[in-house]
Amino acid sequence: MARWDPWQEVEELRREIDRAFESVGLRLPASFRAAFLPGQAPREYPLVNLHEDKDALYLEALAPGLDPSTLSLTVLRNSVTIAGEKRRTAAAVKPEAFHREERSAGRFSRRIELPVEVDESRAKAEYKNGLLLVTLPKAPAARPKEIQVQVA
């Protein structure tokens, strides 16, 4: 006897809705399409905060439990890519012994679009207490210019 899974029917309905939107030329982002399904939505990792001042952008990525040697940071003009691997903490525990396993593990890669172009050669990154702290100096063309007003 087959077991009934209501989420499978919801997922099929979602696919039909996607096809209807695509037939009129609209495409929904993947994160939106699955966001209402519990446990089904793709999760962006690591979670980030991005803020700026007049000279630089500051990216703070929440990435606890990582081996910093697996981190890779690539900066190009107005985007930054963070990649790495989050290993399972209990490698000695067999998967069938877990009662609950909510912390993800595995390889990840996330590309973040930046609001302005940055100077890649001066970017700095530091991993501290589970936070990846990245300083991205703005490219000279992206910095505000102060213009002196001449009084006649």
Side-chain angles (χ1 to χ4, degrees):
M1 178 188 226
R3 188 169 173 219
W4 179 63
D5 180 6
W7 296 116
Q8 185 175 0
E9 290 184 26
V10 172
E11 179 63 16
E12 181 56 36
L13 176 61
R14 184 200 55 82
R15 284 191 206 107
E16 287 181 36
I17 292 170
D18 285 348
R19 283 191 291 272
F21 276 106
E22 288 171 4
S23 70
V24 295
L26 297 173
R27 185 174 200 106
L28 297 174
S31 60
F32 177 79
R33 288 196 304 250
F36 66 95
L37 295 175
Q40 299 290 320
R43 189 76 193 259
E44 297 285 351
Y45 186 85
L47 299 176
V48 301
N49 286 345
L50 179 66
H51 58 94
E52 70 179 300
D53 61 20
K54 67 180 179 101
D55 297 319
L57 296 172
Y58 303 94
L59 180 86
E60 299 170 351
L62 182 60
L66 289 182
D67 176 0
S69 67
T70 68
L71 283 172
S72 167
L73 191 70
T74 308
V75 181
L76 183 61
R77 285 187 227 97
N78 66 335
S79 73
V80 62
T81 302
I82 302 169
E85 183 174 5
K86 188 173 181 185
R87 296 190 176 116
R88 290 182 69 183
T89 55
V93 179
K94 295 179 181 173
E96 60 271 10
F98 275 96
H99 292 278
R100 183 175 297 259
E101 187 174 14
E102 296 178 349
R103 294 172 52 196
S104 63
R107 297 181 144 295
F108 64 88
S109 179
R110 180 165 185 198
R111 183 171 179 260
I112 296 119
E113 290 291 325
L114 303 172
V116 296
E117 193 170 320
V118 297
D119 182 354
E120 309 94 359
S121 65
R122 297 185 326 149
K124 296 178 192 169
E126 174 185 17
Y127 184 75
K128 183 176 170 183
N129 298 327
L131 279 177
L132 176 62
L133 306 167
V134 184
T135 301
L136 303 158
K138 292 180 182 178
R143 290 191 192 136
K145 305 286 187 274
E146 192 171 317
I147 300 169
Q148 293 291 330
V149 177
Q150 299 288 330
V151 178

